[in-house]
Amino acid sequence: MTTAGSVSKGGDIIWDDLDHDGVIGDSDRRILGNGMPTWYMGWTNYLNYKNFSLSFSFYGSFGNKIYNKQRRDLLQNSSSNMTPLARDCYRLWKYQGQITEVYSSAKATTGVNNARELSSFFLEDGDYIRLTNARLAYRVDRNFTKRFHISDLQLYVYGNNLLTWTKYKGFDPSSISNSNVLRPGIDNGRYPTAREIGFGLNVNF
């Protein structure tokens, strides 16, 4: 098998010869997905039990692909000033006969060009569901608070962006899908959505 005029060797990616001509080239290109989600979902609920109240919201995005360019760049430049993710370091190709999903970083831009920009190697499922916020509150009995001339006292804890369920290997699929309308679905290493946890009280006199 040849790719860009070079014969594939140990540590190279096995490219799919879609037109079965023995050469990996432009004729093997295919459209593999869309950078924009095709549908979204949301669910908000509010529950009460005696003096307790619980509210929470879920949000989901589905049908899009994300090109994990950050992972590509880390692997491609691992021989100079950048270090791949730890999980990729452990699975890098090391010896003949080894089968792994992480190519030889030393051969990223040589020969068959393992780290070429246009490939499905770093294309991942961008679907996710997130617990966007949750709030648990307790309202102190008014028979107790009126002793202190307080008409209402509520204690609460809350959290934002608490949990995310996704197959995406990058930091945060939600910060990618709508980041650039001209080049949707490309992860250049955007900072993930921050998680926030706090507590507070509401007092009415």
Side-chain angles (χ1 to χ4, degrees):
M1 181 72 66
T2 63
T3 303
S6 298
V7 178
S8 299
K9 300 178 181 179
D12 289 330
I13 293 176
I14 300 174
W15 300 97
D16 194 359
D17 184 15
L18 297 178
D19 61 1
H20 307 291
D21 63 355
V23 177
I24 303 299
D26 291 344
S27 59
D28 296 303
R29 292 183 177 184
R30 298 292 186 274
I31 296 176
L32 300 177
N34 195 322
M36 298 297 293
T38 55
W39 64 284
Y40 306 86
M41 60 82 67
W43 178 37
T44 300
N45 213 333
Y46 185 83
L47 305 173
N48 277 314
Y49 178 73
K50 294 184 178 180
N51 288 3
F52 290 94
S53 63
L54 173 65
S55 61
F56 56 86
S57 296
F58 286 91
Y59 179 83
S61 173
F62 307 91
N64 64 302
K65 297 288 186 179
I66 297 177
Y67 184 76
N68 195 341
K69 188 174 184 296
Q70 181 193 35
R71 186 182 178 212
R72 169 192 176 270
D73 292 345
L74 290 175
L75 284 173
Q76 178 179 346
N77 297 296
S78 60
S79 60
S80 56
N81 62 342
M82 303 177 72
T83 302
L85 299 175
R87 61 174 177 264
D88 288 335
C89 289
Y90 286 115
R91 294 182 296 189
L92 283 170
W93 183 89
K94 302 177 184 69
Y95 54 85
Q96 295 292 341
Q98 179 187 9
I99 297 177
T100 177
E101 64 175 15
V102 185
Y103 57 76
S104 172
S105 59
K107 301 173 64 177
T109 58
T110 60
V112 300
N113 192 5
N114 289 324
R116 65 178 62 194
E117 186 77 29
L118 299 176
S119 76
S120 62
F121 191 77
F122 300 103
L123 193 64
E124 301 181 28
D125 187 349
D127 296 353
Y128 73 92
I129 297 176
R130 169 168 291 168
L131 176 58
T132 53
N133 58 71
R135 184 177 185 272
L136 177 64
Y138 175 75
R139 174 167 278 107
V140 180
D141 192 282
R142 292 179 179 175
N143 291 328
F144 174 79
T145 58
K146 68 182 181 181
R147 302 177 187 176
F148 305 95
H149 306 287
I150 297 175
S151 62
D152 186 71
L153 175 60
Q154 187 181 69
L155 310 174
Y156 63 89
V157 293
Y158 70 92
N160 296 321
N161 303 311
L162 293 172
L163 296 170
T164 303
W165 292 269
T166 183
K167 294 181 180 179
Y168 182 57
K169 296 177 182 177
F171 293 128
D172 184 4
S174 69
S175 65
I176 309 303
S177 59
N178 297 314
S179 59
N180 189 331
V181 295
L182 298 179
R183 299 186 68 195
I186 298 178
D187 184 358
N188 290 303
R190 294 178 62 87
Y191 195 82
T193 305
R195 179 180 296 159
E196 181 182 12
I197 298 176
F199 64 92
L201 57 86
N202 291 326
V203 182
N204 292 320
F205 296 96

